[in-house]
C-alpha cells in the first residue's frame, strides 16, 4: 500500500529538506520549497514510547522522531524498522545496528521546542485550510439537518477530541455522547471526564448519571457467540451501538452525531461517505468533519492548540478504544498486552480455552490468529416442521415452548392473543394480521404448536422470527434497526412495545447477531 500512487495523492506526508521538518502537503509553508515524500501517514513518537524503543533496541534515540507502522523516521528518512515477537514479548530491530548508530550520529541535533516552532510555521497554512473546510462542513450539515438533536460521538481518542473542538467552535455548546462498551481502559474513562470539564462540554448520561451501556457481560456473550474477530465483529453491535440506541429511546428524537471517523484509518472506512446513515442505529445520522484528515493532521491540531490528550498515546497506543478490539493492528496488540497485562491475561485465558475446545494450538492465541476467526457453526435441530394439511403446519419443539417465543411474532401484523381454559390446561390462540391472518394454537408448557399460514412470504417471515426466538441470547444488537424504538431488552430477553410498533417489519429483515454468530445455532427441520 505504501508505494501506491493513488494513496500518495490522497494522503502522503512530506519532508522539507531546507527546514528539516515534516509537511502535511507537498510545499513548505515556511520556505515554499517542495518536500520529499516520506510516508502515507505517520505520527510523533512520544517520550515514554521512545523509552520503550530504547529499552528493546539498547540504543539512545534522539528526539523529534516519527513513526509509520513499524518504521521509525528521523529527519525525513528511515532510521530503522522493527518487528514484534509475541512469544518473547519483545520488539526486535530489523535494520543493521551499525547503520542505525551512523544515522543517529549524522542527524541534526535540534532543540525539541525550536523544532516544533519550525513545524508549526511550515504547516500552519496547510492545516488551517483543512480546519476551515471542516468547519464549513459542520455549519453546512448542521443547517441542512437543523431539526435533529446534535451530539458529538466521543470515544476519548484523538480524532473525537479534535472533532469536538471544531464542532464547539462552529456551533457552541453541543453535548458529548460516550458509549461505554464496558471494555474501555480506565485511563480513557478518566480522560473523557477530564476533557469535558476542562473544555466545558456536557457529558450525556442516563437517569442514574452513568454512561449508557449494555448490561450484558462480554464473557457471557463470548460463551454464546465465540470471541469477536475481524470477520465476526458482533461486539460493535452489542456493546457499542446498543448504548447509542438506549439513548435514542430515552430522548425519542432523531440525532445528528458528529464523529471523528477518518476515511483512510481502515480499509472498511474507505467505503464510508462523509455523511452516513448507520443501519443498526436507525435514528442517527453520522457526520465526519475530519473525514479526509491524516493522523498527522490530527496530532498537529492537538499540538498547535496545546490540547490535552489521552495519556495512553504516550505509551505507544495508536488506538485507545475497546481494549480487546480484534481490529487492532499487530503493533497495538503488542502495546495493549505490554501496558495492561492483567486485562489481556483475562482475555487470553478465554481465548486459550476456546482454542483448546476447537482444536487450535497456543500459537493461534499468542500470534493473534484469533483475530481472523471464522469457524463453522454447529447446527442443532430444536424444532421440526410437519405439514398437516393445506397451509397448516405442526411445529414440534425439543423442549417445552418458552413463553417468550411468542413475543417475536408481534411485528408480523396486528397481534391478538387469547387464552382458552380447559380444565387444568391453558391453550394459547394467537392471530396475526388481517385478511389472511397467521393463526397459532398451542398449549402453554407443551412442545407443539399448530400454525396456519396462507401466504408464502408470511411463512418465510414467521420462520425467520421463530429462528430468532429459539436462538436469541438477549444481546440487544437488533434494537437499533427499529426506527420507532419499539424493541428493548428486559431480563436479557427481547421485548416489543406494541404502542410503538408500526408493523413495518424492518426488524424482521434486519441482521440477527445470534443467527449470524452463535456457536451452536438452533435450526428448524422441515418435514
Amino acid at each position: 500500500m505504501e508505494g501506491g500512487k493513488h494513496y500518495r495523492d490522497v494522503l502522503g506526508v512530506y519532508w522539507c529538506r531546507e527546514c528539516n521538518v515534516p509537511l502535511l502537503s507537498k510545499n513548505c509553508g515556511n520556505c515554499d520549497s517542495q518536500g520529499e515524500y516520506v510516508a502515507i501517514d505517520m505520527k510523533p513518537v512520544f517520550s515514554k514510547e521512545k523509552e520503550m524503543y530504547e529499552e528493546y533496541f539498547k540504543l539512545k534515540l534522539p528526539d523529534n522522531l516519527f513513526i509509520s507502522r513499524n518504521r521509525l523516521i528521523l529527519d525525513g528518512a528511515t532510521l530503522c524498522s522493527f518487528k514484534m515477537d509475541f512469544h518473547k514479548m519483545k520488539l526486535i530491530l530489523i535494520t543493521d545496528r551499525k547503520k542505525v548508530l551512523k544515522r543517529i550520529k549524522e542527524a541534526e541535533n535540534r532543540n525539541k521546542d525550536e523544532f516544533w516552532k519550525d513545524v508549526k510555521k511550515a504547516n500552519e497554512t496547510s492545516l488551517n485550510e483543512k480546519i476551515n473546510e471542516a468547519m464549513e462542513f459542520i455549519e453546512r450539515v448542521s443547517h441542512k439537518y437543523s431539526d435533529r438533536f446534535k451530539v458529538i460521538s466521543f470515544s476519548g481518542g484523538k480524532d473525537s477530541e479534535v472533532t469536538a473542538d471544531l464542532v464547539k467552535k462552529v456551533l457552541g455548546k453541543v453535548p458529548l455522547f460516550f458509549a461505554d462498551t464496558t471494555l474501555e481502559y480506565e485511563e480513557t474513562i478518566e480522560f473523557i471526564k477530564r476533557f469535558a470539564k476542562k473544555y466545558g462540554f456536557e457529558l450525556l448520561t442516563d437517569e442514574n448519571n452513568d454512561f449508557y451501556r449494555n448490561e450484558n457481560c462480554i464473557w457471557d456473550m463470548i460463551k454464546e457467540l465465540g470471541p469477536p474477530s475481524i470477520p465476526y465483529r458482533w461486539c460493535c453491535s452489542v456493546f457499542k451501538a446498543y448504548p447509542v440506541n438506549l439513548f435514542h429511546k430515552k430522548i425519542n428524537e432523531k440525532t445528528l452525531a458528529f464523529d471523528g471517523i477518518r476515511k483512510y484509518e481502515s480499509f472498511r472506512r474507505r467505503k464510508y461517505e462523509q455523511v452516513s446513515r448507520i443501519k443498526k442505529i436507525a435514528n442517527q445520522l453520522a457526520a465526519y468533519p475530519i473525514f479526509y484528515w491524516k493522523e498527522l493532521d490530527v496530532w498537529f491540531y492537538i499540538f498547535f492548540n496545546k490540547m490535552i490528550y489521552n495519556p495512553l498515546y504516550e505509551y505507544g497506543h495508536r488506538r485507545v478504544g475497546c481494549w480487546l478490539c480484534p481490529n487492532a493492528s499487530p503493533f497495538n496488540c503488542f502495546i495493549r498486552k505490554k501496558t495492561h497485562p492483567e486485562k489481556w491475561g483475562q482475555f487470553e485465558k478465554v481465548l486459550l480455552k476456546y482454542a483448546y475446545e476447537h482444536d487450535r494450538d497456543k500459537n493461534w492465541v499468542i500470534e493473534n490468529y484469533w483475530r481472523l476467526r471464522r469457524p463453522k457453526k454447529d447446527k442443532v435441530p430444536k424444532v421440526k416442521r410437519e405439514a398437516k394439511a393445506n397451509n397448516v403446519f405442526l411445529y414440534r419443539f425439543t423442549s417445552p415452548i418458552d413463553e417468550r417465543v411468542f413475543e417475536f411474532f408481534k411485528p408480523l401484523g396486528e397481534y391478538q392473543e387469547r387464552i382458552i381454559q380447559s380444565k387444568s390446561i391453558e391453550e394459547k390462540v394467537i392471530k396475526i394480521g388481517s385478511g389472511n391472518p397467521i393463526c397459532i394454537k398451542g398449549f402453554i408448557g407443551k412442545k407443539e404448536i399448530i400454525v396456519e399460514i396462507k401466504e408464502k412470504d408470511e411463512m418465510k417471515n414467521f420462520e425467520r422470527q421463530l429462528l430468532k426466538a429459539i436462538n436469541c441470547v438477549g444481546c440487544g444488537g437488533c434494537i437499533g434497526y427499529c426506527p420507532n424504538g419499539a424493541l428493548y431488552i428486559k431480563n436479557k430477553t427481547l421485548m416489543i412495545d406494541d404502542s410503538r410498533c408500526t408493523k413495518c417489519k424492518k426488524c424482521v429483515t434486519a441482521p440477527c447477531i445470534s443467527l449470524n454468530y452463535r456457536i451452536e445455532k438452533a435450526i428448524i427441520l422441515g418435514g
Side-chain angles (χ1 to χ4, degrees):
M1 187 176 84
E2 187 105 351
K5 289 183 180 179
H6 171 69
Y7 296 118
R8 285 194 185 192
D9 292 340
V10 176
L11 295 170
V13 173
Y14 299 83
W15 201 275
C16 176
R17 293 300 169 195
E18 296 295 322
C19 303
N20 197 20
V21 292
L23 301 176
L24 299 175
S25 58
K26 291 182 179 180
N27 292 325
C28 178
N30 186 38
C31 69
D32 203 35
S33 61
Q34 189 166 345
E36 294 179 9
Y37 176 82
V38 177
I40 286 176
D41 205 350
M42 64 185 188
K43 75 168 195 70
V45 172
F46 294 91
S47 57
K48 288 185 175 62
E49 181 184 2
K50 181 165 81 81
E51 289 172 10
M52 176 185 69
Y53 299 133
E54 290 176 332
E55 177 189 345
Y56 285 122
F57 303 157
K58 308 301 180 188
L59 291 169
K60 180 64 179 175
L61 296 172
D63 291 328
N64 309 327
L65 284 173
F66 292 82
I67 186 168
S68 177
R69 291 187 167 183
N70 65 332
R71 182 164 66 99
L72 291 181
I73 295 168
L74 175 64
D75 292 347
T78 300
L79 172 63
C80 63
S81 297
F82 60 87
K83 64 181 180 180
M84 285 75 68
D85 184 333
F86 285 97
H87 288 272
K88 296 180 180 178
M89 275 304 292
K90 288 184 177 181
L91 298 178
I92 300 173
L93 195 66
I94 297 173
T95 310
D96 182 82
R97 187 181 182 83
K98 290 181 180 179
K99 290 182 179 179
V100 178
L101 289 169
K102 184 181 178 183
R103 282 279 294 112
I104 293 172
K105 188 176 181 180
E106 293 171 348
E108 183 181 357
N109 186 18
R110 298 173 72 184
N111 175 273
K112 194 171 184 178
D113 292 337
E114 291 300 319
F115 173 77
W116 280 103
K117 283 181 183 178
D118 292 342
V119 171
K120 188 173 182 179
K121 285 180 186 177
N123 291 281
E124 209 163 19
T125 300
S126 179
L127 184 60
N128 282 339
E129 288 176 4
K130 294 188 177 184
I131 292 170
N132 290 335
E133 286 177 5
M135 291 174 70
E136 287 170 7
F137 170 80
I138 292 166
E139 189 169 13
R140 185 170 65 253
V141 172
S142 181
H143 178 74
K144 183 175 181 179
Y145 301 101
S146 58
D147 59 326
R148 287 178 174 256
F149 183 83
K150 312 296 188 300
V151 296
I152 298 165
S153 295
F154 196 74
S155 67
K158 65 187 185 307
D159 301 326
S160 61
E161 77 163 278
V162 169
T163 299
D165 195 55
L166 290 168
V167 170
K168 186 179 180 183
K169 286 177 179 176
V170 178
L171 302 179
K173 290 188 176 181
V174 175
L176 304 180
F177 180 87
F178 168 64
D180 184 1
T181 63
T182 70
L183 302 169
E184 310 295 335
Y185 294 103
E186 287 81 3
E187 294 92 333
T188 296
I189 299 289
E190 290 171 8
F191 171 74
I192 288 168
K193 294 174 181 177
R194 188 158 60 97
F195 180 90
K197 184 177 181 180
K198 181 175 177 64
Y199 297 107
F201 285 95
E202 177 193 358
L203 267 174
L204 294 168
T205 54
D206 64 17
E207 58 274 10
N208 297 317
N209 204 30
D210 293 324
F211 293 126
Y212 288 86
R213 61 174 66 94
N214 194 323
E215 295 304 319
N216 279 304
C217 168
I218 181 66
W219 313 119
D220 291 340
M221 288 292 102
I222 287 176
K223 288 176 185 176
E224 297 284 358
L225 305 171
S229 63
I230 293 172
Y232 282 15
R233 277 203 304 168
W234 53 263
C235 45
C236 288
S237 295
V238 176
F239 292 104
K240 201 169 185 178
Y242 182 87
V244 182
N245 289 312
L246 277 185
F247 169 67
H248 281 121
K249 189 175 180 68
K250 178 183 176 181
I251 66 170
N252 199 25
E253 286 187 59
K254 293 184 176 181
T255 63
L256 174 64
F258 293 100
D259 197 309
I261 280 177
R262 293 184 291 109
K263 187 177 180 70
Y264 294 99
E265 192 175 11
S266 69
F267 286 105
R268 182 188 295 266
R269 290 177 178 180
R270 286 172 193 170
K271 299 176 183 178
Y272 289 11
E273 299 295 332
Q274 196 168 12
V275 178
S276 298
R277 294 187 184 277
I278 303 170
K279 290 181 180 178
K280 56 190 172 188
I281 309 175
N283 289 318
Q284 177 174 289
L285 190 67
Y288 312 130
I290 61 169
F291 197 50
Y292 297 105
W293 286 34
K294 298 184 283 284
E295 184 176 11
L296 196 61
D297 295 322
V298 173
W299 281 118
F300 281 6
Y301 184 98
I302 291 171
F303 288 177
F304 296 173
N305 288 282
K306 298 181 179 178
M307 298 180 72
I308 61 171
Y309 51 85
N310 193 316
L312 288 171
Y313 291 118
E314 283 283 342
Y315 294 88
H317 285 261
R318 296 178 188 175
R319 299 178 75 172
V320 294
C322 306
W323 60 264
L324 57 68
C325 179
N327 217 35
S329 68
F331 182 80
N332 230 51
C333 289
F334 180 90
I335 291 295
R336 64 189 177 188
K337 190 172 182 178
K338 176 179 172 57
T339 60
H340 294 76
E342 290 183 5
K343 282 185 179 297
W344 192 254
Q346 186 181 10
F347 186 40
E348 197 167 71
K349 286 180 183 177
V350 173
L351 289 173
L352 287 168
K353 182 176 183 294
Y354 180 89
Y356 176 77
E357 292 171 349
H358 293 81
D359 298 321
R360 301 281 194 271
D361 62 19
K362 194 175 181 179
N363 289 336
W364 184 78
V365 177
I366 293 172
E367 296 177 10
N368 299 301
Y369 291 115
W370 64 271
R371 296 163 60 243
L372 306 176
R373 183 183 75 90
R374 196 194 292 268
K376 292 181 180 178
K377 302 182 199 68
D378 295 328
K379 295 182 179 180
V380 182
K382 287 291 181 73
V383 181
K384 185 176 181 180
R385 177 192 353 106
E386 299 176 13
K388 303 302 290 183
N390 191 28
N391 301 322
V392 179
F393 303 90
L394 170 67
Y395 288 85
R396 183 175 287 117
F397 293 69
T398 57
S399 57
I401 301 166
D402 193 318
E403 186 77 8
R404 296 173 296 181
V405 166
F406 301 105
E407 192 77 15
F408 285 77
F409 303 137
K410 289 182 178 180
L412 297 178
E414 185 181 345
Y415 189 89
Q416 300 175 48
E417 178 183 305
R418 61 192 176 97
I419 303 295
I420 299 174
Q421 185 78 37
S422 175
K423 295 182 180 180
S424 61
I425 301 176
E426 292 182 336
E427 183 181 20
K428 185 188 285 284
V429 179
I430 299 170
K431 286 189 177 181
I432 304 170
S434 56
N436 293 313
I438 299 171
C439 186
I440 304 170
K441 294 181 181 179
F443 290 101
I444 295 173
K446 300 298 181 180
K447 297 183 180 181
E448 297 177 353
I449 56 173
I450 296 288
V451 182
E452 183 178 0
I453 306 178
K454 295 180 180 178
E455 303 289 339
K456 286 185 178 180
D457 287 343
E458 290 304 322
M459 177 76 167
K460 181 180 177 181
N461 288 337
F462 171 81
E463 290 207 344
R464 179 166 174 78
Q465 290 302 95
L466 179 55
L467 276 171
K468 288 182 183 179
I470 60 177
N471 282 285
C472 184
V473 295
C475 70
C478 60
I479 69 168
Y481 289 95
C482 177
N484 306 302
L487 307 185
Y488 64 102
I489 300 295
K490 183 178 180 180
N491 298 326
K492 297 189 177 182
T493 303
L494 179 70
M495 305 297 290
I496 295 161
D497 185 343
D498 283 324
S499 66
R500 291 192 179 209
C501 181
T502 61
K503 318 302 179 186
C504 68
K505 298 181 183 176
K506 288 183 179 179
C507 65
V508 177
T509 57
C512 173
I513 295 292
S514 293
L515 289 185
N516 290 336
Y517 304 122
R518 195 170 184 186
I519 297 172
E520 288 190 355
K521 179 181 174 181
I523 61 171
I524 301 169
L525 291 179

